[in-house]
Amino acid sequence: MGAGAVGSTFAYTLAQSGLADEIALIDKNENLVQGQVLDLAHGQPFFPTVTIHAGDPSDYADAQLIVLTAGATQQSGETRLHLLEKNVAVVRAVVSDILKQNSKAVMLVVTNPVDVMTYVAQKLTGWNRERIFGSGTVLDSARLRHMLSVYCGVDVHNVHGYILGEHGDTEFAAWSMSNIAGMQINSYCPVCGRCIDWAGERTRIEQKVRESAYHIIDYKGATSFAIGLTLVRITAAVLRGQRSIFSVSTSLDGEFGIHDVCLSVPCIVSEEGIVRIVESDLPENEQTQLFASAIVLKEAINQLDKDN
Ligand SMILES: NC(=O)c1ccc[n+]([C@@H]2O[C@H](COP(=O)([O-])OP(=O)(O)OC[C@H]3O[C@@H](n4cnc5c(N)ncnc54)[C@H](O)[C@@H]3O)[C@@H](O)[C@H]2O)c1
């Protein structure tokens, strides 16, 4: 759903992955859909067999996964929360179409501000929280892993770490969950011995992750490649029932002491969607930061309730 920068890059990457049998692209801009579908279809000799076509709401009926990327984007200097009003209208329209089709799909929300849009979509569908979740901070966690990999001089696949909370300005690095070679990152540092100011550097890395989207949007107008890959990785977990752990955005019901707000915490994702929220004991400073994200997101939700 959405054939713009994010939706089309996701479709392109998904087509090459061999994960999907059928990809239907839906967008209110029908010319864009036709162009994207033709352009993708002409690449078919070079990737695994997959049917790619312009879709319509009837495709929701037997979809296994609906990925919502339709909506307004951040302009230079805008925060994700600026998009609230515009994108609630988009989510409302899409959800209405999905419900009419009696869809049994899992739904992955990407449209920003993704935490609030996930919350709104979940309330409007009435689906259980396992089945509808947001891409949350999976992309931000990938950015963190990339930056740590470069800084520590270790293959990114051997660097684990999570950004939690809001996919936005209050997100934070959960350093207690970040590790290299099975060692918490703070314990790895003395063993590695490469850096001279880890405390300062980790603050700089965290800030750089938080500001990444702003910089990319300033440079090229949108983010697309890394989010496309992120979405394919989450799609693999759903289509292949992989039980992968991601920091996706989910509705909390008392976990981490937070109620009735969607934000990112580590979750196990599989065929049915989120099969488990991995609730761990966060150190006090990280728990405080998670609460701070929850407060900001709750305020955004309350603002919406007032306006509607
Ligand atoms: N969660 C994340 O990590 C993440 C990362 C990047 C972008 N995003 C968000 O994804 C969304 C899409 O970004 P983009 O760069 O692809 O934008 P884009 O403008 O390139 O594409 C958006 C598409 O949505 C379509 N659209 C808008 N309203 C619609 C409606 N009611 N029905 C059907 N189609 C509709 C537009 O025609 C357009 O083609 C934005 O909200 C952006 O902020 C999220």
Side-chain angles (χ1 to χ4, degrees):
M1 180 64 209
V6 174
S8 62
T9 311
F10 168 53
Y12 174 68
T13 318
L14 182 63
Q16 293 188 62
S17 73
L19 284 165
D21 299 322
E22 179 185 344
I23 302 172
L25 275 180
I26 306 178
D27 196 292
K28 68 175 183 186
N29 183 340
E30 290 177 10
N31 284 340
L32 178 68
V33 170
Q34 291 302 337
Q36 303 285 35
V37 165
L38 284 175
D39 200 7
L40 281 165
H42 296 168
Q44 288 205 335
F46 310 114
F47 49 70
T49 306
V50 54
T51 305
I52 301 170
H53 62 94
D56 62 48
S58 68
D59 286 293
Y60 297 136
D62 66 348
Q64 200 174 343
L65 179 68
I66 298 170
V67 182
L68 176 60
T69 75
T73 57
Q74 277 167 274
Q75 302 305 309
S76 208
E78 264 187 346
T79 70
R80 294 173 179 98
L81 287 174
H82 277 118
L83 304 172
L84 208 55
E85 294 288 337
K86 285 183 234 170
N87 284 347
V88 165
V90 175
V91 172
R92 209 180 280 284
V94 173
V95 165
S96 155
D97 282 345
I98 291 172
L99 290 180
K100 280 183 206 144
Q101 299 300 324
N102 202 15
S103 174
K104 300 281 179 290
V106 167
M107 186 166 167
L108 171 59
V109 179
V110 187
T111 302
N112 273 323
V114 66
D115 303 293
V116 185
M117 294 304 120
T118 305
Y119 180 91
V120 169
Q122 201 216 332
K123 294 289 173 201
L124 290 173
T125 54
W127 292 357
N128 64 36
R129 65 176 179 160
E130 288 77 14
R131 203 176 143 197
I132 180 160
F133 59 97
S135 58
T137 55
V138 185
L139 170 60
D140 315 69
S141 299
R143 288 173 174 149
L144 174 72
R145 290 175 62 198
H146 161 72
M147 289 179 204
L148 286 175
S149 147
V150 172
Y151 185 72
C152 301
V154 173
D155 181 352
V156 68
H157 301 98
N158 297 121
V159 178
H160 301 280
Y162 297 100
I163 297 284
L164 301 185
E166 178 198 5
H167 172 59
D169 293 347
T170 63
E171 68 186 26
F172 66 96
W175 295 114
S176 64
M177 295 179 181
S178 304
N179 68 74
I180 294 178
M183 279 176 261
Q184 238 190 40
I185 197 102
N186 287 341
S187 313
Y188 177 78
C189 275
V191 177
C192 165
R194 275 168 62 110
C195 61
I196 35 172
D197 175 26
W198 170 237
E201 191 54 37
R202 70 182 219 173
T203 307
R204 283 189 283 278
I205 288 177
E206 190 173 20
Q207 191 59 22
K208 263 168 70 181
V209 170
R210 211 175 275 132
E211 291 170 354
S212 288
Y214 292 117
H215 292 312
I216 298 170
I217 289 168
D218 281 348
Y219 285 130
K220 60 173 249 186
T223 60
S224 55
F225 297 131
I227 182 66
L229 287 159
T230 299
L231 299 179
V232 171
R233 183 63 194 88
I234 301 172
T235 298
V238 175
L239 299 189
R240 295 281 187 269
Q242 288 175 336
R243 300 185 70 88
S244 306
I245 300 185
F246 302 115
S247 54
V248 283
S249 183
T250 186
S251 173
L252 295 183
D253 186 16
E255 295 87 359
F256 296 94
I258 295 171
H259 292 267
D260 200 32
V261 67
C262 290
L263 47 66
S264 289
V265 291
C267 296
I268 302 179
V269 175
S270 207
E271 259 169 318
E272 310 88 332
I274 292 180
V275 292
R276 187 167 174 190
I277 295 173
V278 184
E279 191 180 5
S280 56
D281 272 338
L282 291 177
E284 202 180 329
N285 65 329
E286 292 176 8
Q287 183 65 50
T288 304
Q289 293 181 89
L290 197 64
F291 282 145
S293 272
I295 289 167
V296 165
L297 291 167
K298 198 84 185 168
E299 277 166 6
I301 291 166
N302 291 343
Q303 189 56 45
L304 274 183
D305 288 344
K306 260 190 237 150
D307 296 344
N308 291 292

